[in-house]
Amino acid sequence: MGILTADMQRIVEAELGFIATVRPDGTPNLSPKGTTGVWDDDHLVFADIHSPGTVENLRSNASIEINFVDQFVRKGYRFKGTGVVHTDGDVFERGVSFYEARGTVRARERIRGIVIVAVERALPITSPAYDLGLTEDELREIYLRRLTAREA
């Protein structure tokens, strides 16, 4: 069994991933990636469709962290590891096929690279609201109410 549990995989597939890399000057770069998915039990993947800064950062420093949080229950996971960019070859082709199978519009013409992230550490993220005794159902209700109030 790999590092990515079934619940981790569920969150990755359901939520937007926020990817942190390190710029050459040592400062952080944070970027949301809607293409992040589960490659296998030990790896995540995302497509470089419009990620020039993230990809350039990974080429000079492979360190990466990706966070996913269910915004309604305020739980998720942080994944730390290393990312490798593939712009041709077998992994690139498998990656494009992966996104084509998921229905990514014009995947072959839009994807410039496939980034495979070897997950070295996975940790849970939970809101301090749970320390107060709130439940997932209560938090879901609170944040759903806030979202629908904004839409009204």
Side-chain angles (χ1 to χ4, degrees), residues 88-152:
D88 58 18
D90 181 57
V91 174
F92 176 79
E93 292 301 325
R94 285 179 31 222
V96 171
S97 295
F98 176 87
Y99 286 103
E100 287 174 334
R102 288 174 163 238
T104 301
V105 176
R106 298 189 335 257
R108 179 142 315 268
E109 66 186 75
R110 295 172 58 219
I111 294 175
R112 296 182 282 201
I114 297 294
V115 179
I116 303 296
V117 177
V119 178
E120 297 160 6
R121 190 167 77 176
L123 300 169
I125 299 170
T126 56
S127 170
Y130 290 100
D131 296 343
L132 301 172
L134 291 169
T135 66
E136 280 189 14
D137 288 339
E138 289 168 328
L139 285 171
R140 185 179 292 107
E141 183 180 321
I142 289 167
Y143 290 107
L144 186 57
R145 195 170 43 240
R146 284 186 185 177
L147 178 67
T148 56
R150 286 193 309 229
E151 292 178 354

Side-chain angles (χ1 to χ4, degrees), residues 1-135:
M1 172 153 162
I3 196 168
L4 301 174
T5 67
D7 191 57
M8 290 174 184
Q9 292 184 31
R10 179 189 63 79
I11 290 284
V12 168
E13 295 296 344
E15 302 298 333
L16 180 65
F18 286 85
I19 295 180
T21 56
V22 181
R23 291 185 174 116
D25 67 2
T27 61
N29 180 71
L30 183 65
S31 181
K33 300 286 183 245
T35 61
T36 309
V38 176
W39 188 250
D40 62 31
D41 288 349
D42 292 306
H43 297 84
L44 300 176
V45 61
F46 67 90
D48 171 14
I49 293 176
H50 192 45
S51 306
T54 300
V55 166
E56 191 57 36
N57 293 341
L58 288 171
R59 285 189 173 123
S60 64
N61 181 339
S63 295
I64 190 168
E65 180 169 323
I66 308 175
N67 287 197
F68 298 88
V69 175
D70 178 326
Q71 67 177 326
F72 294 110
V73 300
R74 299 302 207 238
K75 286 184 177 180
Y77 296 96
R78 66 182 345 129
F79 302 100
K80 294 181 184 246
T82 54
V84 177
V85 181
H86 300 269
T87 56
D88 58 18
D90 181 57
V91 174
F92 176 79
E93 292 301 325
R94 285 179 31 222
V96 171
S97 295
F98 176 87
Y99 286 103
E100 287 174 334
R102 288 174 163 238
T104 301
V105 176
R106 298 189 335 257
R108 179 142 315 268
E109 66 186 75
R110 295 172 58 219
I111 294 175
R112 296 182 282 201
I114 297 294
V115 179
I116 303 296
V117 177
V119 178
E120 297 160 6
R121 190 167 77 176
L123 300 169
I125 299 170
T126 56
S127 170
Y130 290 100
D131 296 343
L132 301 172
L134 291 169
T135 66

